[in-house]
Amino acid sequence: MVHIVVVGSTSMDLVVTANKRPGAGETILGESFYTVPGGKGANQAVAAARLGAEVSMVGCVGGDAFGEKIVHNLKENGVSVTNVEPVPHLSSGTAHITLAEGDNSIIFVKGANDEVTPAYVEKASSTLMDADIIMVQQEIPAETVEYIADFCKKHHKKWLLNPAPAREVSEKTIESATFLTPNEHEFAVMFGEELRSEVLARYPNKLLITEGENGVRYFNGIREEVVPSYVVEPVDTTGAGDTFNGAFAVAIAEGKAINEAIRFANLAASISITKFGAQGGMPMREEVVGKL
Ligand code: RIB
């Protein structure tokens, strides 16, 4: 079994469904409200665990009831929480999600995720050293991402940066990462006005641009490839990117070729959006393998 370590965020997602988004200064009536576990780090950990990997989470929760529920949910999904600590004086991370007009909008409040500092992650060094691949996102401090970049370069560890939500990423981090998986918006924040084709060619088999229903684009060393996504009727697209990343990491750690790993991840992501909640539709291994 491959071992994946996720250094990242945890959250409780507070989800409102409504038939439209309110404008500034406007109050509208919503349709329903749910609390479900989320956070890009935890979502990716759960996605990878359901697909058969041994997964260790390195993260923080608040000293509140949400924190207890987040840890419980990780355990229930088979994710090791040895390196997930409660921070008594802080609230758990929360994501305030509106589902309306066929899409989501999210405000993420980091809370305890700000305590996932380099010093905190350093305590989990032996777990990191044991990983086949390390996964990181950007709902934790930027210094921590830099720390992982240095750690993985020094110890020749494979690591994947999912640069979400968007923020600038240092050249050093981009160079150190084994895989980068921005969506189109995150790509624009990272690389500005540079031509997409030139950036892709600079990072062959490393930079994967996720383009939603249009598939995933990368440069294979000879030409640009687009691996198409699977067509499904979406119920909730929250967590699709996280499912893609978790599944891709599993497939790569298992030794699949990049094209095959993307196909596997696209399929897992398409299944995930057929149910409500970031983790609600994340498939088990058998569901994906049965449809490949
Ligand atoms: O990627 C989806 C996730 O982003 C949600 O679960 C929410 O927690 C936000 O962090």
Side-chain angles (χ1 to χ4, degrees):
M1 197 187 261
V2 296
H3 183 204
I4 293 183
V5 177
V6 179
V7 178
S9 58
T10 65
S11 139
M12 192 54 80
D13 290 357
L14 313 177
V15 190
V16 166
T17 67
N19 61 14
K20 66 167 210 162
R21 279 183 180 72
E26 186 184 10
T27 301
I28 62 166
L29 295 179
E31 287 162 351
S32 58
F33 171 71
Y34 305 90
T35 55
V36 287
K40 295 185 192 300
N43 290 345
Q44 293 179 19
V46 168
R50 289 196 190 159
L51 292 169
E54 176 193 348
V55 183
S56 306
M57 178 85 204
V58 179
C60 289
V61 296
D64 50 17
F66 283 166
E68 286 170 22
K69 285 192 181 150
I70 291 166
V71 170
H72 177 75
N73 175 65
L74 286 168
K75 281 189 194 161
E76 266 199 327
N77 279 283
V79 176
S80 162
V81 293
T82 310
N83 297 293
V84 178
E85 288 180 18
V87 185
H89 64 285
L90 289 177
S91 305
S92 292
T94 46
H96 304 257
I97 303 182
T98 303
L99 290 185
E101 297 155 339
D103 211 343
N104 61 35
S105 24
I106 306 179
I107 299 177
F108 188 74
V109 181
K110 283 193 280 175
N113 293 297
D114 253 340
E115 295 301 306
V116 186
T117 59
Y120 181 80
V121 174
E122 196 177 5
K123 293 193 290 174
S125 293
S126 60
T127 306
L128 294 178
M129 285 304 292
D130 186 56
D132 292 303
I133 187 163
I134 296 166
M135 306 182 69
V136 186
Q137 322 72 32
Q138 301 198 132
E139 290 174 338
I140 56 173
E143 310 82 76
T144 307
V145 179
E146 300 274 312
Y147 172 82
I148 295 290
D150 291 338
F151 181 95
C152 291
K153 188 172 178 201
K154 180 168 172 204
H155 298 289
H156 307 288
K157 301 296 293 181
K158 267 192 197 140
W159 75 289
L160 177 155
L161 174 62
N162 172 223
R167 70 181 169 209
E168 282 179 20
V169 179
S170 73
E171 189 65 33
K172 176 188 84 176
T173 296
I174 292 175
E175 291 304 326
S176 161
T178 317
F179 297 105
L180 297 161
T181 58
N183 64 19
E184 291 157 286
H185 172 64
E186 291 146 8
F187 174 86
V189 172
M190 285 171 77
F191 297 105
E193 300 291 289
E194 283 192 81
L195 267 185
R196 184 182 69 188
S197 57
E198 285 177 10
V199 182
L200 280 168
R202 196 155 75 233
Y203 300 112
N205 298 311
K206 159 170 174 160
L207 174 60
L208 318 180
I209 307 176
T210 58
E211 299 181 355
E213 59 190 8
N214 294 325
V216 174
R217 185 184 297 273
Y218 74 108
F219 183 74
N220 70 6
I222 298 169
R223 62 179 175 276
E224 253 179 53
E225 293 255 7
V226 178
V227 183
S229 58
Y230 290 75
V231 182
V232 290
E233 194 56 53
V235 171
D236 180 2
T237 57
T238 313
D242 298 328
T243 309
F244 174 85
N245 280 280
F248 178 76
V250 171
I252 287 291
E254 289 176 350
K256 288 197 172 64
I258 191 161
N259 195 285
E260 212 186 322
I262 296 173
R263 235 162 42 86
F264 178 78
N266 276 351
L267 179 55
S270 75
I271 296 170
S272 79
I273 65 176
T274 59
K275 293 201 184 122
F276 171 79
Q279 298 174 14
M282 283 176 180
M284 302 298 287
R285 177 104 186 181
E286 309 73 65
E287 279 178 84
V288 182
V289 172
K291 288 185 179 153
L292 261 179

